[in-house]
């Protein structure tokens, strides 16, 4: 965890650091960490692949993913902490580096046989984009829960309430980082945009819009977003609104 936090700091608004980390295999390493530590997202990914041909009007079942409230307890506090850092590193790597975006958009990762309901003897290599989509869809609704009050709207503040508030905030960050990653990757190429859209409700990118808008509004309220990043995310939001 400490090493990853160092990488997150090194890649934050540091083009040279981003290039060096990626050239040493940083993108593949982050994707592999997700596969190794989060079987929940793998399970959702393969369920989604099996059900992709079916359309559903229910947010909780479309693409084979359950709603946020049904999934968030499957991740421990430590799991969330690690996932926030992994996604944060990936966001830093692709935010301003078009070469890194191109690499991640076409990259793939090995899924161990134990995660597949398959008789194939060898490990399976799958694209990273659907894995990132599975994270977003699994965590979708986290920002709405925090914005709506959730367990933060209580009069008595105790240790349990504080921990729950921290958990809700981390859930929201995971959702936002996943949306940012997908938004940046969608700008890389038409193929990447299409691959992302296929995994999301309605077969378009509109599900990313409210999450990204909340992300921008939150950081603007705290004066924690640069004009360059604001413009970049605004461009992504505009693009995601296209049919």
């Amino acid at each position: 965890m400490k090493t990853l936090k160092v990488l997150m700091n090194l890649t934050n608004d540091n083009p040279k650091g981003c290039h060096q980390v990626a050239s040493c295999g940083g993108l593949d390493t982050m994707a592999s960490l997700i596969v190794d530590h989060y079987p929940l997202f793998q399970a959702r990914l393969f369920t989604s692949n099996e059900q992709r041909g079916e359309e559903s009007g229910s947010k909780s079942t479309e693409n084979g993913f359950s709603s946020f409230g049904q999934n968030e307890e499957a991740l421990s506090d430590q799991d969330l902490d690690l996932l926030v850092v992994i996604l944060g590193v990936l966001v830093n790597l692709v935010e301003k580096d078009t070469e890194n975006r191109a690499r991640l958009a076409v990259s793939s990762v090995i899924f161990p046989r134990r995660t597949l309901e398959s008789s194939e003897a060898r490990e399976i290599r799958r694209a990273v984009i659907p894995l990132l989509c599975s994270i977003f869809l699994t965590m979708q609704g986290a920002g709405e829960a925090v914005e709506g009050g959730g367990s933060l709207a209580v009069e008595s503040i105790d240790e349990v309430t504080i921990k729950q508030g921290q958990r809700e905030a981390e859930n929201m960050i995971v959702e936002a980082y996943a949306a940012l990653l997908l938004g940046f990757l969608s700008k890389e190429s038409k193929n990447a945009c299409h691959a992302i859209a296929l995994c999301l409700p309605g077969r378009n990118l509109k599900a990313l819009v409210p999450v990204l808008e909340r992300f921008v509004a939150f950081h603007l309220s705290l004066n924690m977003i640069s004009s360059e990043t604001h413009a970049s995310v605004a461009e992504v939001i505009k693009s995601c609104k296209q049919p």
Side-chain angles (χ1 to χ4, degrees), residues 23-38:
S23 65
C24 293
L27 293 167
D28 292 336
T29 298
M30 295 303 110
S32 295
L33 283 173
I34 295 174
V35 171
D36 292 341
H37 290 276
Y38 302 97

Side-chain angles (χ1 to χ4, degrees), residues 7 10-11 16-27 89 93 103:
L7 284 179
L10 287 175
T11 56
K16 185 176 180 180
C18 288
H19 177 76
Q20 290 180 336
V21 171
S23 65
C24 293
L27 293 167
V89 173
L93 289 174
R103 288 178 179 177

Side-chain angles (χ1 to χ4, degrees), residues 127-145:
V128 167
I129 281 180
L131 179 62
L132 297 176
C133 289
S134 75
I135 296 174
F136 172 75
L137 290 170
T138 301
M139 305 305 292
Q140 191 177 19
E144 295 174 359

Side-chain angles (χ1 to χ4, degrees), residues 175-191:
E175 179 194 31
Y177 279 0
L180 276 172
L181 271 172
L182 294 173
F184 287 138
L185 293 180
S186 72
K187 300 287 291 179
E188 164 54 29
S189 67
K190 290 184 178 180
N191 286 340

